[in-house]
Amino acid sequence: MKASQIAAKTVVRIFLLLLLISTIPFLQGDNAKLQNFNFIIHQKWTLIFPVLLILAFIGLLITCTIKKYKVADLNWLLVVNTVVLIAYGIAVFIKVYQAVA
């Protein structure tokens, strides 16, 4: 059970750190390329899966925090969900970076 607690806390902290780092380009003064960048989504229903992933992350994070990371199954679900969310965020970052650069 101790391994699941450490893994869950570590992965969540890495995700939150990456989320904080990703806001740096928006906070800098010279972001003219990002101001003119627009997402064009042809099929709106494809946004259901990222929204479900984010909502599941929030729900699992709140549940694990309330239970103080004592339930191993919830911890491992949080780890898997966060790793998939990190992979999705990296994929979006790569696409945006290719479009802007």
Side-chain angles (χ1 to χ4, degrees):
M1 177 167 359
K2 190 74 170 165
S4 68
Q5 290 176 338
I6 294 170
K9 289 179 182 180
T10 303
V11 172
V12 168
R13 288 177 183 164
I14 290 171
F15 174 72
L16 294 176
L17 181 68
L18 288 174
L19 193 63
L20 183 66
I21 290 171
S22 68
T23 60
I24 291 174
F26 295 107
L27 298 176
Q28 289 179 342
D30 185 29
N31 57 2
K33 290 182 181 179
L34 291 174
Q35 288 177 352
N36 296 328
F37 182 76
N38 294 321
F39 277 114
I40 299 174
I41 301 168
H42 298 290
Q43 298 171 344
K44 302 288 185 199
W45 63 271
T46 57
L47 294 177
I48 290 173
F49 300 110
V51 168
L52 284 175
L53 189 64
I54 292 168
L55 290 176
F57 171 74
I58 293 170
L60 283 169
L61 183 63
I62 290 171
T63 305
C64 286
T65 305
I66 289 172
K67 295 185 185 269
K68 299 187 189 287
Y69 296 96
K70 297 289 183 197
V71 183
D73 291 340
L74 288 175
N75 292 342
W76 289 119
L77 281 173
L78 180 62
V79 168
V80 170
N81 189 315
T82 308
V83 167
V84 172
L85 195 58
I86 288 171
Y88 183 76
I90 290 171
V92 169
F93 173 77
I94 290 170
K95 284 304 220 182
V96 169
Y97 186 74
Q98 287 175 350
V100 172

